[in-house]
Structures are given as C-alpha cells and as structure tokens.
Amino acid sequence: MSAAQWTRRKVLNTAAGAAALAGASSLAAPGVAEAHGGRPGPHDGLRIIAIEEAVILPGLITQGTALNGAIPFKPEVTAEWFKRLPDVTEYRLADMDANGVTMQVLSLTPPGVQMQPDAAIAVRDAQVANDALAAVIAAHPTRFGGLAALPLQDPRAAVREARRAIRDLGMAGFLVNGHTNGHYLDEPQFRPVWAELEELGAALYLHPTPAPTGDWGLLKDRPELVGPLYSWAAETGGHALRVVLGGVFDDFPGARLIVGHMGEFLPYMIPRLDVQIRNINTKVPLKKKPSEYLTRNVAITTSGVMDDNMLQAAIRSVGIDNVLFAIDYPFERSEQAVGFLRNASLSAGHRRKIAAGNAERILKL
C-alpha cells in the first residue's frame, strides 16, 4: 500500500472522515464501485487523469452553484448537471469506465467557499468539504484524487487547512474559485498562503467564479457573454496575470498555479505581454518577462477547449510539460473530451504527458 493510499484509508478511521462518508453515501458506496470493477472502460494502454472535475459535497452551510446565477443555461442542461454533481458512484464511475478515464481529480463546484462572507463559516465549510472529499477518495483511491478548498477569508486559517489537507488528508493540491469576496490572490494578506503552498509543494488551480465583482459595461444586455462564452476566461486570465504582475512568483519561485480552459486566453497573449511589459511601469518590478513565469510557474489544462489547433498553439506557447488533461465534468461531455485527447496530433510520448504524466508530476498523484 502506498503512503497516499494509507493516508486516505486513515481518514476513514477518523471521526470527521467517517461522518463525512456517512453523510455522503451516494458519493462513496463501495459496492457500486466494485460493480464497475474499478477499471477504465476502453483499454488502449493510455492512462487518463482528468483534473477539473466538479462535485457537490454534503454538509456545507454555504449554498449555491454557478448554475443559480444569471447565465441563461438551458433548463434541461442544468437539470442534467444537478443530477450528476452530487454523485460519484452511480453516474460518474460509469461515465469514467465507458470513456476510459482512469482517475478524476475532484473539486468543489464553483463558487465553493469563496463567496461566503462569514470567515468562520468559510473555515468550517472548507474543513467539512475537505473531509467529505477525503472520504470519497479513501473509498476509491485508484479512481479519485482531490483538490481541497481553501478558506481565504481567513488567511491564517487557510494556511492551517492547507497543511492539514496535504499532510493529513492526502489531497493532491487546491482549487480556488476565482476571487474571494472581491479579493485577489496577489494581495499581500495571501502571501503566507503562497509561502505554505510552496513549502508543501502543492499546486493551486485557479477556477472561474460565477460571482461578479461589479458592473462590466461590456456585458450589459448580453447575458450570453457572462460565463463560459467569454467573461469567465477574461476574468480568470486577468486574475492569473494579477498573480504574475504582483510578484508572487518572484517571492515564491517554487509556487505553482494551474488555469483551465486552454489557459484562459493567456498562452495566445504571451508575445504581446512580453512586448508591452517593456512600455509599462509596473507597480511591482518583475525579475523576469511574463513568458518566463507563464512557462515556469503556470500550467494549463484542456478543459472545455477541444480543438487540435488550439492545443498545438498552447503547446508551442507554454511547453508540453505544462499542459494537462481535464474534462470539466459534468459541464462537458467525457466522450468528446477523451475523443479529442485520443485523436489529437500528438506523439505517443506527448499524449501520455498530457493524459496523465504531467498531472502525476505536478499534483504528485
């Protein structure tokens, strides 16, 4: 038994882990997992790890999802998503088996704990969510990993929870759903959190949030632009650039940020960023060009962008070692995402890196 599996099994012997598992019976029913045999479906020798896979976890005080906002999703589509989000064993494992997905790395669906105005509740909810997620992983250690929630409303508590999530719960890293009540990850109060993440060697996945920070005139009378069609990518890419321009990676050169959706526009902006940074007085003097941070400290995933032209451009921009596979389940279709991966114009070695190798290295899976 590996150290990670031992850690995950140990969670089941803790009161918190047992309670979380009992409260999430639909999430972690070993009998159902055994019915699937614990194996991927198609066996072509390709190990596939998907790392941006959403779940609703039980026991949280903070309620709401990205599906409750102003985005005009079709009702029949959101109904299907709501059916699948709280589930692991009934629909999710079957979907993974049918499409040859070896492992999903689960995380709390947006906005997660980030929009909770009460810091004490945010801390409590992050602990409950992380315990529940650890219990799911302990029940299915070869099929699921986890990105833990961080209660950034209380940075000192976030440091403690980060340490617990990695050392006690065996999590693979962290996922933050956008800004935290209007506060961004480059702000000085979050420096201790970055220091802890660097010390732990744990990556942070920056995911879009449905929570607006204020009026954006561009979106007026065009609700279609809110969300995955445009605003989420622009906002999340801008947030990642705040981290770069705020000097976070100069202060913590070992820190790792992951952004989804083929890099939230950033890989395709790298040449312009490097040119224009020479013309701008940055608030924080940077030691390197933006491209150096975006290829050393930032990794991207393929979630939701299933196009070979975009993939090839991203690889040329950020390097093959910085591209990871993700589905964005249940919001995207696994068969489409996996089909894209299997049929992309890649050498066998590069396909293995994107499918699983880079995730295994960066997330220590």
Side-chain angles (χ1 to χ4, degrees):
M1 182 183 300
S2 71
Q5 288 173 318
W6 172 255
T7 298
R8 289 164 182 166
R9 180 168 292 181
K10 183 175 68 174
V11 172
L12 294 178
N13 296 324
T14 68
L21 185 57
S25 58
S26 67
L27 290 172
V32 180
E34 289 160 9
H36 291 287
R39 300 186 304 273
H43 292 283
D44 60 0
L46 184 65
R47 177 171 166 82
I48 298 177
I49 300 175
I51 74 163
E52 187 193 314
E53 317 311 317
V55 66
I56 289 176
L57 295 167
L60 303 187
I61 295 173
T62 306
Q63 299 296 315
T65 74
L67 310 183
N68 299 131
I71 305 168
F73 290 122
K74 296 177 179 179
E76 64 272 20
V77 173
T78 58
E80 182 68 19
W81 290 341
F82 273 125
K83 180 178 78 173
R84 291 175 178 271
L85 278 167
D87 162 79
V88 166
T89 57
E90 184 177 358
Y91 304 111
R92 194 178 302 250
L93 276 175
D95 183 276
M96 292 166 64
D97 290 347
N99 293 288
V101 177
T102 313
M103 175 182 284
Q104 282 191 3
V105 180
L106 306 176
S107 54
L108 197 57
T109 193
V113 302
Q114 257 60 62
M115 292 303 104
Q116 173 53 246
D118 187 312
I121 293 176
V123 172
R124 178 262 182 202
D125 274 359
Q127 293 169 344
V128 169
N130 294 340
D131 284 340
L133 184 52
V136 171
I137 296 166
H140 312 282
T142 65
R143 304 310 304 275
F144 298 116
L147 297 178
L150 275 179
L152 294 174
Q153 292 87 338
D154 183 340
R156 282 190 287 189
V159 167
R160 293 192 297 270
E161 185 59 15
R163 195 174 300 134
R164 186 182 80 95
I166 297 296
R167 294 179 178 172
D168 297 344
L169 302 184
M171 293 294 183
F174 301 90
L175 185 139
V176 168
N177 286 291
H179 61 87
T180 299
N181 294 319
H183 293 284
Y184 293 88
L185 285 161
D186 61 304
E187 296 179 27
Q189 68 269 28
F190 299 129
R191 283 311 202 261
V193 178
W194 282 110
E196 185 64 26
L197 297 184
E198 183 182 49
E199 174 69 20
L200 293 168
L204 188 153
Y205 200 124
L206 180 58
H207 190 275
T209 180
T213 54
D215 292 332
W216 188 0
L218 178 69
L219 308 178
K220 183 179 180 182
D221 299 326
R222 279 284 171 240
E224 310 96 309
L225 289 176
V226 178
L229 278 186
Y230 178 73
S231 69
W232 284 357
E235 290 168 347
T236 309
H239 192 165
L241 272 182
R242 285 186 65 116
V243 174
V244 170
L245 296 176
V248 169
F249 298 131
D250 283 338
D251 292 344
F252 309 104
R256 266 286 194 172
L257 187 70
I258 305 174
V259 293
H261 314 109
M262 213 67 85
E264 312 287 15
F265 300 154
L266 291 178
Y268 318 105
M269 292 295 294
I270 284 176
R272 183 163 173 79
L273 294 172
D274 278 354
V275 168
Q276 289 302 315
I277 202 70
R278 299 189 306 229
N279 303 326
I280 295 171
N281 284 322
T282 57
K283 186 176 180 180
V284 177
L286 298 179
K287 296 178 180 178
K288 303 177 185 296
K289 296 184 296 185
S291 60
E292 295 179 80
Y293 303 105
L294 292 172
T295 55
R296 186 191 68 184
N297 299 99
V298 179
I300 72 171
T301 77
T302 63
S303 56
V305 183
M306 293 161 279
D307 180 88
D308 198 47
N309 290 324
M310 297 299 101
L311 175 62
Q312 300 306 323
I315 291 171
R316 287 193 294 271
S317 294
V318 303
I320 186 62
D321 293 328
N322 290 319
V323 182
L324 297 78
F325 178 70
I327 296 170
D328 206 355
Y329 179 96
F331 307 115
E332 302 287 351
R333 290 169 38 226
S334 299
E335 58 268 29
Q336 184 179 4
V338 173
F340 157 69
L341 173 66
R342 292 185 191 279
N343 294 304
S345 302
L346 297 165
S347 68
H350 282 188
R351 196 182 319 276
R352 286 193 296 270
K353 282 190 173 188
I354 293 174
N358 290 338
E360 290 169 337
R361 173 175 49 84
I362 294 173
L363 297 179
K364 301 178 177 63
L365 294 168

